[in-house]
Amino acid sequence: MLRKLRVVLAVIFFLSITALFLDISGCLHHYLGWMAKLQFLPAVMASSFILVALWIVVTLLFGRVYCSVVCPLGVMQDGFNFVARKVKKQRFSFVKENKWVRYPLFVLFVVFMLVGLNTLAILIAPYSAYGRIATNLLQPVYILINNILAGIAERAESYSFYSVDVWMKSTLSLVIAIATLVVVAFLALRRGRTWCNTVCPVGTLLGLVSRFALLRPVIDADKCKNCRKCERNCKASCIDIDNHRIDASRCVACMDCLSECQFDALQIRNTHFRINPSVMAVADEKPVDTSLRSFLATSAMVGVAAAVHAQEKKVDGGLAVVEDKQIPHRDIPLKPAGSVSIDNFSKRCTGCQLCVSECPNHVLRPSDDLGTLMQPEMSFERGFCRPECTRCSEVCPAGAIRPITREEKTDIHIGIAVVVPDNCLPYSEGVACGNCARHCPADAILMVPKDKDANPDDPAAVMIPAVDTEKCLGCGACEYLCPVRPFSAIYVNGRTRHVKAH
């Protein structure tokens, strides 16, 4: 029953976390957002000491339940292991702990996080790694399926579905997501939970705690027949039948060994206080139907091969190809309202890219800069940051983007618009435009005469844009709606520290 309960809870958590990253409606985070905040590293970065303490206590009581139930990367590895068992059963054996890789990696991870090199550390962070896989590989496939259904619904005059653009947010982030999935899948298919027990920093930390777990699997040497069935099916390779012991630091509390033993030699026991030696005996040896997990694992592998759907060329009324906008060089990168400052954001962000998946305006994308690699930044080639939208601040589980209201957002200045005279039509060609001024939600752009001596009311006067830096929010509406391509005649530079108007 313990194994069945673990499988059911793991599937629920895995589906819920995956749904958060795939969601295009913006509704699910109201119901499932707490599951992202339950993740260990985001809780640490958000300074949620109560939640961190809760996971330490749970691990001290029951072992590494977090790794086998809550962590989506861990559950995904179990899915790969389930597929591999269909090909070859009993393929594992006891392997000694690889201390020379496990603990130096953990120390490096902690050092990188402390000195601010988050972009290197989050490469192996479990929740962040799965978030990148879901965002870059699974979400495009999900959206393509949604768009097919939207096309069918449109023909039936139904609006149950609506089409959503599929676009390449970051080539480097996509490559890293594919590489991570390939490595994790390879290790899981060949050696079970090697990633969790050798590479993962959260697994190492909880492994140190789980050595002292109160309730954990114990081998009864008198009942054991040395058949090695439990050892050969242990995906953590932590059961040593020769010495009748289980390495508690690597055991992920999956309970698979309990269902494998035919002699009742494996039981969950209190390892510190002798209250009841027969507590929680194994009762059910029937195989658990985990076909759903097989489907999830297969979907993840399909996502690796799925190519991101390229957008069709846009044309104007005369069927001339409209050139795509390109990202301008920004002296200071743009971070979302609620992140307080670039320094605060870079120190807290785990690069899980949940905010990138949830952004309805296609403003957030993973950074390709080595200093902020895979952490989200803002750009306005496909939309602008609407003042009424606060979704990224609502979904961030690490506190890198603190929750803000719509009213607060309209008072936060995240950047300053800058005019590029060589690109601007009134400057370069002397023709009327004013698109940026018409669409600025903060009225921060004024059209003034190019010639200082000209009369502003003269219809023949050439009017050029001028930015009121005190009013500019940095929302990017001017940059997005500027008709000049490929580089807009006006772009937004970020602020090192966000400023409140009042």
Side-chain angles (χ1 to χ4, degrees):
M1 288 303 297
L2 288 175
R3 181 172 182 261
K4 288 182 178 179
L5 178 62
R6 192 267 305 172
V7 170
V8 170
L9 290 176
V11 169
I12 291 173
F13 269 91
F14 183 79
L15 286 176
S16 299
I17 293 294
T18 303
L20 277 175
F21 284 97
L22 301 185
D23 181 35
I24 57 177
S25 67
C27 298
L28 288 183
H29 73 271
H30 293 295
Y31 308 100
L32 303 177
W34 60 273
M35 289 191 171
K37 291 179 172 62
L38 273 181
Q39 302 300 316
F40 191 85
L41 184 59
V44 172
M45 303 307 290
S47 301
S48 181
F49 300 115
I50 294 178
L51 191 54
V52 173
L54 174 64
W55 279 124
I56 297 298
V57 170
V58 169
T59 306
L60 283 172
L61 290 176
F62 308 109
R64 288 170 57 183
V65 175
Y66 172 88
C67 299
S68 59
V69 175
V70 178
C71 177
L73 196 70
V75 178
M76 186 178 73
Q77 291 175 74
D78 287 348
F80 287 129
N81 179 62
F82 177 79
V83 173
R85 287 187 64 181
K86 297 297 182 181
V87 179
K88 182 182 178 181
K89 295 183 178 181
Q90 301 185 21
R91 68 188 194 281
F92 302 120
S93 61
F94 174 72
V95 178
K96 289 185 178 180
E97 179 185 16
N98 194 338
K99 297 181 180 179
W100 297 107
V101 175
R102 189 181 190 187
Y103 296 109
L105 268 180
F106 176 72
V107 171
L108 278 176
F109 176 85
V110 174
V111 170
F112 284 158
M113 294 297 287
L114 290 176
V115 300
L117 296 175
N118 297 30
T119 54
L120 295 176
I122 61 178
L123 284 170
I124 58 174
Y127 171 71
S128 302
Y130 181 76
R132 292 189 292 271
I133 291 171
T135 299
N136 293 279
L137 301 177
L138 300 184
Q139 192 188 53
V141 176
Y142 174 80
I143 293 177
L144 284 173
I145 295 173
N146 170 82
N147 290 350
I148 292 172
L149 295 175
I152 296 173
E154 184 180 357
R155 291 179 179 274
E157 297 183 354
S158 170
Y159 296 95
S160 303
F161 299 88
Y162 58 92
S163 295
V164 178
D165 286 346
V166 185
W167 56 289
M168 179 83 71
K169 298 179 177 69
S170 166
T171 303
L172 185 56
S173 185
L174 175 64
V175 170
I176 291 174
I178 293 174
T180 303
L181 180 60
V182 169
V183 171
V184 171
F186 176 79
L187 292 177
L189 291 170
R190 291 291 301 273
R191 301 301 305 172
R193 286 284 190 131
T194 302
W195 176 279
C196 295
N197 289 329
T198 305
V199 180
C200 177
V202 176
T204 300
L205 176 60
L206 294 182
L208 292 171
V209 177
S210 67
R211 293 176 186 271
F212 309 100
L214 180 64
L215 299 172
R216 60 175 185 249
V218 175
I219 301 174
D220 188 333
D222 295 331
K223 293 182 179 180
C224 180
K225 306 300 181 183
N226 295 330
C227 68
R228 296 185 182 276
K229 192 174 181 181
C230 58
E231 179 182 308
R232 291 169 180 165
N233 284 281
C234 177
K235 57 200 172 193
S237 299
C238 65
I239 300 179
D240 181 6
I241 286 298
D242 292 334
N243 297 299
H244 295 107
R245 62 178 293 274
I246 299 175
D247 184 352
S249 74
R250 291 185 292 154
C251 176
V252 293
C254 67
M255 312 301 173
D256 288 351
C257 56
L258 302 183
S259 62
E260 293 293 342
C261 183
Q262 299 175 348
F263 307 103
D264 198 27
L266 272 159
Q267 294 181 346
I268 297 292
R269 288 186 180 176
N270 182 337
T271 57
H272 297 293
F273 308 103
R274 293 194 174 276
I275 300 174
N276 185 352
S278 61
V279 163
M280 299 173 70
V282 180
D284 197 341
E285 297 181 7
K286 294 181 181 179
V288 178
D289 181 10
T290 52
S291 57
L292 181 56
R293 292 205 298 171
S294 175
F295 166 76
L296 292 173
T298 306
S299 298
M301 289 187 289
V302 169
V304 179
V308 176
H309 181 63
Q311 297 299 299
E312 296 181 357
K313 289 289 186 181
K314 298 178 181 178
V315 296
D316 64 7
L319 298 183
V321 174
V322 177
E323 195 172 0
D324 289 335
K325 286 205 173 207
Q326 295 186 22
I327 301 174
H329 170 73
R330 305 184 200 278
D331 297 327
I332 301 174
L334 280 156
K335 301 301 180 182
S339 53
V340 182
S341 67
I342 290 179
D343 184 61
N344 175 75
F345 184 86
S346 60
K347 286 182 178 178
R348 290 181 179 270
C349 178
T350 63
C352 71
Q353 298 180 13
L354 180 58
C355 57
V356 176
S357 297
E358 286 281 345
C359 180
N361 304 310
H362 305 303
V363 167
L364 291 173
R365 64 201 64 198
S367 171
D368 288 339
D369 184 77
L370 292 180
T372 56
L373 185 63
M374 294 179 297
Q375 293 184 342
E377 62 183 19
M378 303 173 71
S379 200
F380 309 113
E381 290 68 53
R382 306 185 68 88
F384 68 96
C385 189
R386 298 182 181 275
E388 71 276 8
C389 177
T390 59
R391 194 182 300 179
C392 60
S393 76
E394 296 168 359
V395 303
C396 179
I401 311 173
R402 67 175 182 83
I404 56 174
T405 63
R406 295 180 180 182
E407 292 75 17
E408 287 176 321
K409 185 176 180 181
T410 57
D411 280 343
I412 299 175
H413 297 222
I414 64 173
I416 302 172
V418 178
V419 179
V420 183
D422 291 342
N423 293 352
C424 187
L425 295 176
Y427 268 106
S428 60
E429 300 184 18
V431 297
C433 181
N435 217 38
C436 53
R438 283 193 297 273
H439 294 94
C440 178
D443 293 326
I445 301 177
L446 304 174
M447 298 303 292
V448 300
K450 181 179 181 182
D451 185 354
K452 295 181 180 179
D453 297 329
N455 183 359
D457 298 326
D458 183 0
V462 178
M463 308 294 284
I464 58 174
V467 179
D468 185 341
T469 57
E470 296 296 323
K471 289 185 177 180
C472 181
L473 299 174
C475 67
C478 55
E479 180 179 327
Y480 171 62
L481 294 165
C482 177
V484 179
R485 294 168 185 266
F487 293 101
S488 296
I490 187 168
Y491 71 97
V492 183
N493 258 333
R495 291 179 182 264
T496 304
R497 187 171 187 84
H498 296 174
V499 178
K500 284 191 176 183
H502 303 293

